[in-house]
Amino acid sequence: MAVKYELIKTCAQTGARLGRLHTPHGVIDTPTFMPVGTQASVKGMSPEELKTLGAQIILSNTYHLFLRPGHELVKEAGGLHRFMNWDRPILTDSGGFQVFSLSEMRKITEEGVQFRSHINGDKLSLTPESATQVQNALGADIIMAFDECPPYPAEYEYVKQSTERTSRWAERCLKAHSRSHDQALFGIVQGGMHADLRKQSALDLTSLDFPGYAMGGLSVGEPKHFMYEMLEETIPYLPGNKPRYLMGVGSPDALIEGSIRGVDMFDCVLPTRIARNGTLMTSQGRMVVRNAKYTNDFGPMDPECSCYACRNYSRAYIRHLIKADEMFGLRLTTIHNLHFLVNLMVQVREAIREDRLGTFREEFFEKYGMADN
Ligand SMILES: Nc1nc2c(CCc3ccccc3)c3nc[nH]c3cc2c(=O)[nH]1
């Protein structure tokens, strides 16, 4: 098992756990936030900058790389690590979710999904077997089972059928997964917002003994309390000695709430996406730096932040760059937001170590302002 989870301790105040995830390309301290580099690049960031701000693992997407430049080319380049010059761990998503969020004209059958490329309209398909083989070719350390993420809201019967199909697909992925690489294939629990379907999905997948489990079908527009309830309904059925990955979750409050409920891994495009329109996550809550009130503000974006952007540039300068559509402005806001979330997880791990994550949650919410950002 080239990917091994080491449980270090459980927080006495909450259900959070401190762990280390050992992979062929290095160790990840958990709970961890994983920056997303959809097309083999975390937008505007160099590998050196990602390492400086503390990123231990980055994510990429099978769907995008399958469409462009193609997994064969990446394989010919020596795999994703070589291709993007990132020598630390990589996780790739399996593509199903992106088909439904990006492509036109898609059809889902027991076999898999047929769709049109959102780039050139080509008719393409992905199946559990082909999605696994593409990920084997890309060479990420952790790859995801091919699943369907049901839309939200959806009829109970639809979610039931879809979740049962996802369990059958998970078994097909395991069979197709070539063991020649040192890659770990994680299962993805579905079940929508229904506790009985979540439990059944978890039981189906844990019977297949994956090295790690993701919780999918969440962060799809549902109210946050539904997401937390589904975590509480699912996690008791997942093994304690395996990592748990909550897909698509990255707002500060959700990272803390998810960690408290025993989640070990998070990802989200939020920090990089909102950075590109000049919105920053700061210790005092969200800040839109392009706002006129920062025109003559020569202080740092976040006085409590030690990132490269906050140590060297003012709000006025960054506001000017964003308004002038200067690329450097987006790089600085991205550096800050990624550093903010990576650093938040450093503080979460510290709080778990000291059995005070519940207290940290209260203090953080007090300063940051309540949920939904
Ligand atoms: N395979 C899969 N992915 C999801 C993502 C993308 C996470 C991702 C991984 C790697 C790179 C980018 C994005 C979700 N994002 C929000 N909600 C999500 C649900 C699912 C899901 O149910 N299944």
Side-chain angles (χ1 to χ4, degrees):
M1 187 86 66
V3 170
K4 191 90 192 77
Y5 177 71
E6 177 197 355
L7 175 59
I8 294 171
K9 73 166 282 190
T10 301
C11 173
Q13 227 181 32
T14 68
R17 33 220 239 125
L18 189 64
R20 286 162 64 80
L21 189 53
H22 300 266
T23 81
H25 282 88
V27 182
I28 302 145
D29 294 304
T30 64
T32 187
F33 165 74
M34 307 183 284
V36 174
T38 295
Q39 303 186 102
S41 153
V42 179
K43 291 184 173 31
M45 296 292 100
S46 71
E48 289 69 31
E49 285 167 330
L50 289 167
K51 287 179 180 176
T52 300
L53 58 84
Q56 293 181 313
I57 175 172
I58 60 171
L59 272 53
S60 199
N61 261 313
T62 296
Y63 173 81
H64 295 80
L65 298 172
F66 175 57
L67 266 59
R68 180 177 55 189
H71 58 294
E72 297 94 345
L73 185 137
V74 176
K75 183 171 183 165
E76 195 183 333
L80 206 40
H81 290 88
R82 218 19 269 111
F83 194 49
M84 64 188 293
N85 186 33
W86 175 258
D87 61 2
R88 292 186 176 182
I90 298 176
L91 180 154
T92 47
D93 197 5
S94 47
F97 179 80
Q98 289 78 25
V99 165
F100 281 86
S101 46
L102 283 167
S103 72
E104 300 305 313
M105 205 302 283
R106 64 251 169 180
K107 184 162 168 277
I108 187 163
T109 64
E110 184 64 28
E111 181 60 16
V113 289
Q114 295 162 19
F115 58 95
R116 281 197 184 286
S117 160
H118 72 285
I119 296 168
N120 61 16
D122 282 359
K123 272 198 82 168
L124 301 168
S125 78
L126 275 172
T127 66
E129 291 78 13
S130 66
T132 303
Q133 280 142 18
V134 168
Q135 291 181 92
N136 286 155
L138 295 174
D141 301 274
I142 300 171
I143 67 176
M144 303 310 293
F146 188 72
D147 63 327
E148 183 198 355
C149 173
Y152 174 79
E155 288 294 316
Y156 178 87
E157 199 46 40
Y158 181 84
V159 177
K160 185 171 187 298
Q161 296 306 319
S162 164
T163 299
E164 289 169 357
R165 179 168 52 211
T166 286
S167 294
R168 294 193 294 274
W169 282 1
E171 194 155 10
R172 286 170 53 188
C173 292
L174 266 180
K175 289 196 173 76
H177 180 39
S178 81
R179 299 283 190 285
S180 55
H181 310 261
D182 259 350
Q183 298 168 287
L185 173 68
F186 279 18
I188 304 179
V189 176
Q190 291 292 348
M193 308 303 151
H194 308 287
D196 61 324
L197 299 180
R198 284 275 162 190
K199 175 179 175 182
Q200 190 54 55
S201 179
L203 293 173
D204 289 347
L205 292 180
T206 49
S207 71
L208 296 170
D209 192 24
F210 285 99
Y213 296 91
M215 284 161 284
L218 296 171
S219 190
V220 287
E222 78 281 5
K224 277 199 176 149
H225 71 86
F226 276 6
M227 176 163 77
Y228 300 147
E229 282 163 36
M230 288 305 108
L231 291 184
E232 290 156 13
E233 294 292 342
T234 307
I235 285 179
Y237 299 100
L238 297 179
N241 64 338
K242 302 282 178 67
R244 297 114 178 220
Y245 165 20
L246 176 55
M247 304 188 91
V249 171
S251 60
D253 54 302
L255 290 177
I256 294 171
E257 296 288 5
S259 297
I260 284 175
R261 291 166 175 79
V263 175
D264 306 304
M265 300 160 75
F266 302 88
D267 82 80
C268 188
V269 292
L270 193 72
T272 42
R273 183 171 292 170
I274 64 171
R276 292 199 293 282
N277 62 40
T279 302
L280 302 162
M281 297 171 171
T282 78
S283 46
Q284 320 300 321
R286 269 200 186 191
M287 182 179 104
V288 182
V289 75
R290 62 183 305 143
N291 192 310
K293 67 183 173 185
Y294 301 117
T295 306
N296 303 73
D297 184 332
F298 300 105
M301 288 187 285
D302 183 347
E304 297 182 21
C305 180
S306 63
C307 85
Y308 170 72
C310 291
R311 279 186 287 107
N312 295 289
Y313 304 93
S314 69
R315 290 171 173 173
Y317 175 66
I318 292 170
R319 177 180 179 277
H320 157 67
L321 292 181
I322 300 270
K323 298 284 282 185
D325 212 11
E326 278 293 335
M327 289 169 67
F328 189 46
L330 299 185
R331 280 180 23 78
L332 289 172
T333 54
T334 300
I335 286 168
H336 171 78
N337 280 352
L338 287 175
H339 177 274
F340 181 86
L341 285 187
V342 168
N343 186 47
L344 173 63
M345 299 319 284
V346 170
Q347 296 173 70
V348 164
R349 294 195 296 269
E350 249 340 278
I352 296 171
R353 206 186 306 277
E354 297 165 8
D355 293 318
R356 56 173 178 78
L357 184 56
T359 312
F360 175 77
R361 175 187 178 281
E362 298 314 317
E363 290 161 356
F364 181 86
F365 280 12
E366 183 59 38
K367 272 178 62 179
Y368 191 79
M370 260 318 281
D372 258 338
N373 48 23

